[in-house]
PDB file of all heavy atoms in Angstrom:
ATOM      1  N   ASP A   1      71.956 111.029 -57.084  1.00 88.00           N
ATOM      2  CA  ASP A   1      71.362 109.730 -56.776  1.00 88.00           C
ATOM      3  C   ASP A   1      70.845 109.154 -58.080  1.00 88.00           C
ATOM      4  O   ASP A   1      69.835 109.622 -58.608  1.00 88.00           O
ATOM      5  CB  ASP A   1      70.232 109.915 -55.757  1.00 88.00           C
ATOM      6  CG  ASP A   1      69.618 108.595 -55.339  1.00 88.00           C
ATOM      7  OD1 ASP A   1      69.629 107.639 -56.143  1.00 88.00           O
ATOM      8  OD2 ASP A   1      69.111 108.519 -54.215  1.00 88.00           O
ATOM      9  N   ASP A   2      71.524 108.170 -58.614  1.00 81.00           N
ATOM     10  CA  ASP A   2      71.129 107.613 -59.903  1.00 81.00           C
ATOM     11  C   ASP A   2      69.801 106.884 -59.837  1.00 81.00           C
ATOM     12  O   ASP A   2      69.115 106.747 -60.847  1.00 81.00           O
ATOM     13  CB  ASP A   2      72.214 106.673 -60.419  1.00 81.00           C
ATOM     14  CG  ASP A   2      73.370 107.429 -61.035  1.00 81.00           C
ATOM     15  OD1 ASP A   2      73.143 108.544 -61.550  1.00 81.00           O
ATOM     16  OD2 ASP A   2      74.494 106.925 -61.004  1.00 81.00           O
ATOM     17  N   PHE A   3      69.427 106.410 -58.666  1.00 83.00           N
ATOM     18  CA  PHE A   3      68.168 105.675 -58.565  1.00 83.00           C
ATOM     19  C   PHE A   3      66.980 106.600 -58.748  1.00 83.00           C
ATOM     20  O   PHE A   3      65.991 106.262 -59.407  1.00 83.00           O
ATOM     21  CB  PHE A   3      68.105 104.970 -57.208  1.00 83.00           C
ATOM     22  CG  PHE A   3      66.889 104.117 -57.047  1.00 83.00           C
ATOM     23  CD1 PHE A   3      66.769 102.923 -57.727  1.00 83.00           C
ATOM     24  CD2 PHE A   3      65.845 104.507 -56.213  1.00 83.00           C
ATOM     25  CE1 PHE A   3      65.645 102.137 -57.589  1.00 83.00           C
ATOM     26  CE2 PHE A   3      64.725 103.728 -56.073  1.00 83.00           C
ATOM     27  CZ  PHE A   3      64.619 102.537 -56.754  1.00 83.00           C
ATOM     28  N   THR A   4      67.061 107.800 -58.175  1.00 84.00           N
ATOM     29  CA  THR A   4      65.951 108.749 -58.245  1.00 84.00           C
ATOM     30  C   THR A   4      66.202 109.872 -59.242  1.00 84.00           C
ATOM     31  O   THR A   4      65.333 110.710 -59.458  1.00 84.00           O
ATOM     32  CB  THR A   4      65.687 109.371 -56.866  1.00 84.00           C
ATOM     33  OG1 THR A   4      66.857 110.092 -56.455  1.00 84.00           O
ATOM     34  CG2 THR A   4      65.383 108.283 -55.835  1.00 84.00           C
ATOM     35  N   ASN A   5      67.395 109.897 -59.839  1.00 84.00           N
ATOM     36  CA  ASN A   5      67.787 110.994 -60.730  1.00 84.00           C
ATOM     37  C   ASN A   5      67.719 112.340 -60.026  1.00 84.00           C
ATOM     38  O   ASN A   5      67.430 113.372 -60.654  1.00 84.00           O
ATOM     39  CB  ASN A   5      66.923 111.014 -61.989  1.00 84.00           C
ATOM     40  CG  ASN A   5      67.450 110.079 -63.053  1.00 84.00           C
ATOM     41  OD1 ASN A   5      68.637 109.764 -63.089  1.00 84.00           O
ATOM     42  ND2 ASN A   5      66.574 109.613 -63.915  1.00 84.00           N
ATOM     43  N   THR A   6      67.982 112.351 -58.749  1.00 91.00           N
ATOM     44  CA  THR A   6      68.014 113.589 -57.976  1.00 91.00           C
ATOM     45  C   THR A   6      69.452 114.089 -57.895  1.00 91.00           C
ATOM     46  O   THR A   6      70.370 113.311 -57.665  1.00 91.00           O
ATOM     47  CB  THR A   6      67.474 113.347 -56.557  1.00 91.00           C
ATOM     48  OG1 THR A   6      66.115 112.913 -56.640  1.00 91.00           O
ATOM     49  CG2 THR A   6      67.554 114.615 -55.733  1.00 91.00           C
ATOM     50  N   VAL A   7      69.620 115.370 -58.111  1.00 95.00           N
ATOM     51  CA  VAL A   7      70.939 115.970 -57.993  1.00 95.00           C
ATOM     52  C   VAL A   7      70.886 117.043 -56.914  1.00 95.00           C
ATOM     53  O   VAL A   7      69.898 117.775 -56.796  1.00 95.00           O
ATOM     54  CB  VAL A   7      71.428 116.536 -59.342  1.00 95.00           C
ATOM     55  CG1 VAL A   7      70.582 117.704 -59.796  1.00 95.00           C
ATOM     56  CG2 VAL A   7      72.879 116.948 -59.253  1.00 95.00           C
ATOM     57  N   THR A   8      71.937 117.104 -56.116  1.00 97.00           N
ATOM     58  CA  THR A   8      72.011 118.032 -54.994  1.00 97.00           C
ATOM     59  C   THR A   8      73.237 118.911 -55.144  1.00 97.00           C
ATOM     60  O   THR A   8      74.295 118.432 -55.567  1.00 97.00           O
ATOM     61  CB  THR A   8      72.091 117.262 -53.675  1.00 97.00           C
ATOM     62  OG1 THR A   8      70.911 116.459 -53.528  1.00 97.00           O
ATOM     63  CG2 THR A   8      72.188 118.197 -52.496  1.00 97.00           C
ATOM     64  N   LEU A   9      73.092 120.174 -54.820  1.00 98.00           N
ATOM     65  CA  LEU A   9      74.212 121.107 -54.833  1.00 98.00           C
ATOM     66  C   LEU A   9      74.387 121.637 -53.418  1.00 98.00           C
ATOM     67  O   LEU A   9      73.544 122.385 -52.924  1.00 98.00           O
ATOM     68  CB  LEU A   9      73.955 122.259 -55.804  1.00 98.00           C
ATOM     69  CG  LEU A   9      75.124 123.237 -55.970  1.00 98.00           C
ATOM     70  CD1 LEU A   9      76.277 122.550 -56.703  1.00 98.00           C
ATOM     71  CD2 LEU A   9      74.679 124.472 -56.745  1.00 98.00           C
ATOM     72  N   GLN A  10      75.454 121.216 -52.777  1.00 98.00           N
ATOM     73  CA  GLN A  10      75.785 121.705 -51.444  1.00 98.00           C
ATOM     74  C   GLN A  10      76.657 122.941 -51.596  1.00 98.00           C
ATOM     75  O   GLN A  10      77.736 122.857 -52.191  1.00 98.00           O
ATOM     76  CB  GLN A  10      76.521 120.635 -50.639  1.00 98.00           C
ATOM     77  CG  GLN A  10      76.963 121.088 -49.263  1.00 98.00           C
ATOM     78  CD  GLN A  10      75.801 121.364 -48.335  1.00 98.00           C
ATOM     79  OE1 GLN A  10      74.819 120.627 -48.317  1.00 98.00           O
ATOM     80  NE2 GLN A  10      75.908 122.428 -47.550  1.00 98.00           N
ATOM     81  N   MET A  11      76.185 124.058 -51.070  1.00 98.00           N
ATOM     82  CA  MET A  11      76.889 125.327 -51.237  1.00 98.00           C
ATOM     83  C   MET A  11      77.361 125.811 -49.869  1.00 98.00           C
ATOM     84  O   MET A  11      76.535 126.098 -48.990  1.00 98.00           O
ATOM     85  CB  MET A  11      75.962 126.367 -51.872  1.00 98.00           C
ATOM     86  CG  MET A  11      75.349 125.903 -53.181  1.00 98.00           C
ATOM     87  SD  MET A  11      74.383 127.185 -54.012  1.00 98.00           S
ATOM     88  CE  MET A  11      73.048 127.403 -52.843  1.00 98.00           C
ATOM     89  N   ASN A  12      78.656 125.857 -49.706  1.00 98.00           N
ATOM     90  CA  ASN A  12      79.249 126.302 -48.441  1.00 98.00           C
ATOM     91  C   ASN A  12      79.985 127.618 -48.640  1.00 98.00           C
ATOM     92  O   ASN A  12      80.298 128.002 -49.765  1.00 98.00           O
ATOM     93  CB  ASN A  12      80.223 125.251 -47.911  1.00 98.00           C
ATOM     94  CG  ASN A  12      79.546 123.939 -47.583  1.00 98.00           C
ATOM     95  OD1 ASN A  12      78.374 123.899 -47.211  1.00 98.00           O
ATOM     96  ND2 ASN A  12      80.276 122.842 -47.745  1.00 98.00           N
ATOM     97  N   SER A  13      80.258 128.282 -47.535  1.00 98.00           N
ATOM     98  CA  SER A  13      81.012 129.552 -47.568  1.00 98.00           C
ATOM     99  C   SER A  13      80.436 130.503 -48.605  1.00 98.00           C
ATOM    100  O   SER A  13      81.161 131.071 -49.432  1.00 98.00           O
ATOM    101  CB  SER A  13      82.491 129.273 -47.868  1.00 98.00           C
ATOM    102  OG  SER A  13      83.047 128.413 -46.891  1.00 98.00           O
ATOM    103  N   LEU A  14      79.136 130.683 -48.565  1.00 98.00           N
ATOM    104  CA  LEU A  14      78.475 131.519 -49.561  1.00 98.00           C
ATOM    105  C   LEU A  14      78.930 132.971 -49.479  1.00 98.00           C
ATOM    106  O   LEU A  14      79.224 133.500 -48.386  1.00 98.00           O
ATOM    107  CB  LEU A  14      76.967 131.413 -49.394  1.00 98.00           C
ATOM    108  CG  LEU A  14      76.363 130.127 -49.947  1.00 98.00           C
ATOM    109  CD1 LEU A  14      74.980 129.874 -49.372  1.00 98.00           C
ATOM    110  CD2 LEU A  14      76.309 130.170 -51.464  1.00 98.00           C
ATOM    111  N   LYS A  15      78.976 133.585 -50.638  1.00 98.00           N
ATOM    112  CA  LYS A  15      79.401 134.982 -50.768  1.00 98.00           C
ATOM    113  C   LYS A  15      78.270 135.792 -51.395  1.00 98.00           C
ATOM    114  O   LYS A  15      77.437 135.231 -52.115  1.00 98.00           O
ATOM    115  CB  LYS A  15      80.633 135.061 -51.658  1.00 98.00           C
ATOM    116  CG  LYS A  15      81.803 134.210 -51.204  1.00 98.00           C
ATOM    117  CD  LYS A  15      82.934 134.276 -52.221  1.00 98.00           C
ATOM    118  CE  LYS A  15      84.109 133.421 -51.813  1.00 98.00           C
ATOM    119  NZ  LYS A  15      85.208 133.469 -52.806  1.00 98.00           N
ATOM    120  N   PRO A  16      78.261 137.092 -51.194  1.00 97.00           N
ATOM    121  CA  PRO A  16      77.224 137.913 -51.839  1.00 97.00           C
ATOM    122  C   PRO A  16      77.204 137.750 -53.354  1.00 97.00           C
ATOM    123  O   PRO A  16      76.130 137.804 -53.972  1.00 97.00           O
ATOM    124  CB  PRO A  16      77.611 139.331 -51.429  1.00 97.00           C
ATOM    125  CG  PRO A  16      78.306 139.161 -50.119  1.00 97.00           C
ATOM    126  CD  PRO A  16      79.061 137.869 -50.233  1.00 97.00           C
ATOM    127  N   GLU A  17      78.358 137.512 -53.959  1.00 97.00           N
ATOM    128  CA  GLU A  17      78.403 137.337 -55.416  1.00 97.00           C
ATOM    129  C   GLU A  17      77.801 136.013 -55.871  1.00 97.00           C
ATOM    130  O   GLU A  17      77.679 135.778 -57.077  1.00 97.00           O
ATOM    131  CB  GLU A  17      79.837 137.481 -55.935  1.00 97.00           C
ATOM    132  CG  GLU A  17      80.859 136.645 -55.203  1.00 97.00           C
ATOM    133  CD  GLU A  17      81.589 137.423 -54.127  1.00 97.00           C
ATOM    134  OE1 GLU A  17      80.923 138.193 -53.377  1.00 97.00           O
ATOM    135  OE2 GLU A  17      82.820 137.265 -54.029  1.00 97.00           O
ATOM    136  N   ASP A  18      77.438 135.151 -54.954  1.00 98.00           N
ATOM    137  CA  ASP A  18      76.716 133.923 -55.310  1.00 98.00           C
ATOM    138  C   ASP A  18      75.219 134.170 -55.482  1.00 98.00           C
ATOM    139  O   ASP A  18      74.486 133.265 -55.882  1.00 98.00           O
ATOM    140  CB  ASP A  18      76.917 132.853 -54.232  1.00 98.00           C
ATOM    141  CG  ASP A  18      78.350 132.370 -54.133  1.00 98.00           C
ATOM    142  OD1 ASP A  18      78.978 132.193 -55.186  1.00 98.00           O
ATOM    143  OD2 ASP A  18      78.828 132.181 -53.001  1.00 98.00           O
ATOM    144  N   THR A  19      74.780 135.362 -55.171  1.00 98.00           N
ATOM    145  CA  THR A  19      73.364 135.699 -55.310  1.00 98.00           C
ATOM    146  C   THR A  19      72.926 135.599 -56.759  1.00 98.00           C
ATOM    147  O   THR A  19      73.532 136.202 -57.643  1.00 98.00           O
ATOM    148  CB  THR A  19      73.111 137.125 -54.786  1.00 98.00           C
ATOM    149  OG1 THR A  19      73.374 137.157 -53.378  1.00 98.00           O
ATOM    150  CG2 THR A  19      71.671 137.548 -55.045  1.00 98.00           C
ATOM    151  N   ALA A  20      71.909 134.785 -56.998  1.00 98.00           N
ATOM    152  CA  ALA A  20      71.423 134.553 -58.355  1.00 98.00           C
ATOM    153  C   ALA A  20      70.213 133.630 -58.285  1.00 98.00           C
ATOM    154  O   ALA A  20      69.899 133.070 -57.235  1.00 98.00           O
ATOM    155  CB  ALA A  20      72.507 133.905 -59.216  1.00 98.00           C
ATOM    156  N   VAL A  21      69.581 133.468 -59.431  1.00 98.00           N
ATOM    157  CA  VAL A  21      68.607 132.393 -59.600  1.00 98.00           C
ATOM    158  C   VAL A  21      69.377 131.170 -60.091  1.00 98.00           C
ATOM    159  O   VAL A  21      70.123 131.251 -61.065  1.00 98.00           O
ATOM    160  CB  VAL A  21      67.513 132.771 -60.597  1.00 98.00           C
ATOM    161  CG1 VAL A  21      66.553 131.601 -60.791  1.00 98.00           C
ATOM    162  CG2 VAL A  21      66.759 134.005 -60.117  1.00 98.00           C
ATOM    163  N   TYR A  22      69.201 130.064 -59.397  1.00 98.00           N
ATOM    164  CA  TYR A  22      69.902 128.829 -59.724  1.00 98.00           C
ATOM    165  C   TYR A  22      68.966 127.898 -60.480  1.00 98.00           C
ATOM    166  O   TYR A  22      67.843 127.630 -60.031  1.00 98.00           O
ATOM    167  CB  TYR A  22      70.415 128.161 -58.455  1.00 98.00           C
ATOM    168  CG  TYR A  22      71.638 128.831 -57.904  1.00 98.00           C
ATOM    169  CD1 TYR A  22      71.567 130.115 -57.354  1.00 98.00           C
ATOM    170  CD2 TYR A  22      72.883 128.217 -57.964  1.00 98.00           C
ATOM    171  CE1 TYR A  22      72.699 130.754 -56.865  1.00 98.00           C
ATOM    172  CE2 TYR A  22      74.023 128.838 -57.474  1.00 98.00           C
ATOM    173  CZ  TYR A  22      73.919 130.108 -56.928  1.00 98.00           C
ATOM    174  OH  TYR A  22      75.052 130.738 -56.451  1.00 98.00           O
ATOM    175  N   PHE A  23      69.459 127.408 -61.613  1.00 98.00           N
ATOM    176  CA  PHE A  23      68.673 126.539 -62.482  1.00 98.00           C
ATOM    177  C   PHE A  23      69.296 125.155 -62.540  1.00 98.00           C
ATOM    178  O   PHE A  23      70.508 125.014 -62.718  1.00 98.00           O
ATOM    179  CB  PHE A  23      68.621 127.104 -63.898  1.00 98.00           C
ATOM    180  CG  PHE A  23      67.917 128.420 -64.010  1.00 98.00           C
ATOM    181  CD1 PHE A  23      68.624 129.613 -63.886  1.00 98.00           C
ATOM    182  CD2 PHE A  23      66.560 128.476 -64.259  1.00 98.00           C
ATOM    183  CE1 PHE A  23      67.986 130.835 -63.992  1.00 98.00           C
ATOM    184  CE2 PHE A  23      65.904 129.693 -64.372  1.00 98.00           C
ATOM    185  CZ  PHE A  23      66.619 130.873 -64.228  1.00 98.00           C
ATOM    186  N   CYS A  24      68.458 124.172 -62.438  1.00 97.00           N
ATOM    187  CA  CYS A  24      68.863 122.792 -62.648  1.00 97.00           C
ATOM    188  C   CYS A  24      68.639 122.445 -64.116  1.00 97.00           C
ATOM    189  O   CYS A  24      67.676 122.930 -64.735  1.00 97.00           O
ATOM    190  CB  CYS A  24      68.023 121.886 -61.748  1.00 97.00           C
ATOM    191  SG  CYS A  24      68.372 120.139 -61.918  1.00 97.00           S
ATOM    192  N   ALA A  25      69.518 121.610 -64.678  1.00 96.00           N
ATOM    193  CA  ALA A  25      69.404 121.242 -66.080  1.00 96.00           C
ATOM    194  C   ALA A  25      69.795 119.788 -66.259  1.00 96.00           C
ATOM    195  O   ALA A  25      70.602 119.258 -65.497  1.00 96.00           O
ATOM    196  CB  ALA A  25      70.292 122.135 -66.936  1.00 96.00           C
ATOM    197  N   ALA A  26      69.239 119.186 -67.293  1.00 94.00           N
ATOM    198  CA  ALA A  26      69.543 117.787 -67.592  1.00 94.00           C
ATOM    199  C   ALA A  26      69.840 117.630 -69.069  1.00 94.00           C
ATOM    200  O   ALA A  26      69.263 118.319 -69.916  1.00 94.00           O
ATOM    201  CB  ALA A  26      68.373 116.886 -67.198  1.00 94.00           C
ATOM    202  N   ARG A  27      70.744 116.715 -69.351  1.00 93.00           N
ATOM    203  CA  ARG A  27      71.060 116.384 -70.733  1.00 93.00           C
ATOM    204  C   ARG A  27      70.500 114.999 -71.020  1.00 93.00           C
ATOM    205  O   ARG A  27      70.895 114.027 -70.355  1.00 93.00           O
ATOM    206  CB  ARG A  27      72.559 116.403 -70.988  1.00 93.00           C
ATOM    207  CG  ARG A  27      72.941 116.045 -72.424  1.00 93.00           C
ATOM    208  CD  ARG A  27      74.413 116.214 -72.673  1.00 93.00           C
ATOM    209  NE  ARG A  27      74.799 115.787 -74.002  1.00 93.00           N
ATOM    210  CZ  ARG A  27      74.765 116.570 -75.076  1.00 93.00           C
ATOM    211  NH1 ARG A  27      74.375 117.829 -74.959  1.00 93.00           N
ATOM    212  NH2 ARG A  27      75.131 116.102 -76.253  1.00 93.00           N
ATOM    213  N   THR A  28      69.593 114.944 -71.965  1.00 90.00           N
ATOM    214  CA  THR A  28      68.959 113.666 -72.297  1.00 90.00           C
ATOM    215  C   THR A  28      69.255 113.221 -73.717  1.00 90.00           C
ATOM    216  O   THR A  28      68.815 112.150 -74.139  1.00 90.00           O
ATOM    217  CB  THR A  28      67.433 113.760 -72.105  1.00 90.00           C
ATOM    218  OG1 THR A  28      66.902 114.673 -73.075  1.00 90.00           O
ATOM    219  CG2 THR A  28      67.066 114.240 -70.710  1.00 90.00           C
ATOM    220  N   SER A  29      69.992 114.025 -74.466  1.00 86.00           N
ATOM    221  CA  SER A  29      70.133 113.802 -75.903  1.00 86.00           C
ATOM    222  C   SER A  29      71.416 113.110 -76.299  1.00 86.00           C
ATOM    223  O   SER A  29      71.748 113.079 -77.474  1.00 86.00           O
ATOM    224  CB  SER A  29      70.034 115.150 -76.626  1.00 86.00           C
ATOM    225  OG  SER A  29      71.002 116.036 -76.126  1.00 86.00           O
ATOM    226  N   GLY A  30      72.155 112.544 -75.340  1.00 83.00           N
ATOM    227  CA  GLY A  30      73.377 111.831 -75.704  1.00 83.00           C
ATOM    228  C   GLY A  30      74.551 112.285 -74.852  1.00 83.00           C
ATOM    229  O   GLY A  30      74.436 113.183 -74.017  1.00 83.00           O
ATOM    230  N   TYR A  31      75.697 111.647 -75.084  1.00 85.00           N
ATOM    231  CA  TYR A  31      76.878 111.978 -74.289  1.00 85.00           C
ATOM    232  C   TYR A  31      77.346 113.402 -74.574  1.00 85.00           C
ATOM    233  O   TYR A  31      77.160 113.929 -75.668  1.00 85.00           O
ATOM    234  CB  TYR A  31      78.005 110.988 -74.601  1.00 85.00           C
ATOM    235  CG  TYR A  31      77.698 109.588 -74.140  1.00 85.00           C
ATOM    236  CD1 TYR A  31      77.358 108.596 -75.059  1.00 85.00           C
ATOM    237  CD2 TYR A  31      77.724 109.251 -72.790  1.00 85.00           C
ATOM    238  CE1 TYR A  31      77.054 107.314 -74.635  1.00 85.00           C
ATOM    239  CE2 TYR A  31      77.427 107.974 -72.358  1.00 85.00           C
ATOM    240  CZ  TYR A  31      77.092 107.018 -73.289  1.00 85.00           C
ATOM    241  OH  TYR A  31      76.784 105.740 -72.869  1.00 85.00           O
ATOM    242  N   TYR A  32      77.988 113.985 -73.584  1.00 85.00           N
ATOM    243  CA  TYR A  32      78.549 115.314 -73.758  1.00 85.00           C
ATOM    244  C   TYR A  32      79.647 115.261 -74.823  1.00 85.00           C
ATOM    245  O   TYR A  32      80.329 114.257 -74.991  1.00 85.00           O
ATOM    246  CB  TYR A  32      79.163 115.823 -72.448  1.00 85.00           C
ATOM    247  CG  TYR A  32      78.167 116.130 -71.364  1.00 85.00           C
ATOM    248  CD1 TYR A  32      77.948 115.224 -70.329  1.00 85.00           C
ATOM    249  CD2 TYR A  32      77.458 117.327 -71.343  1.00 85.00           C
ATOM    250  CE1 TYR A  32      77.057 115.494 -69.322  1.00 85.00           C
ATOM    251  CE2 TYR A  32      76.552 117.612 -70.335  1.00 85.00           C
ATOM    252  CZ  TYR A  32      76.364 116.689 -69.327  1.00 85.00           C
ATOM    253  OH  TYR A  32      75.469 116.957 -68.327  1.00 85.00           O
TER     254      TYR A  32
END
């Protein structure tokens, strides 16, 4: 959502190997 700068990750068909700590990150220093 560009208005709120909110990002969502929809995770379906989860597997045991998806177990982890999930981190959100942002790039503010210029284009990739």
Side-chain angles (χ1 to χ4, degrees):
D1 183 331
D2 281 332
F3 184 73
T4 62
N5 275 335
T6 299
V7 66
T8 299
L9 184 69
Q10 177 67 41
M11 305 186 294
N12 297 330
S13 301
L14 283 162
K15 304 175 181 179
E17 50 263 43
D18 294 319
T19 295
V21 177
Y22 284 69
F23 296 91
C24 178
R27 179 174 176 87
T28 67
S29 56
Y31 293 106
Y32 291 101

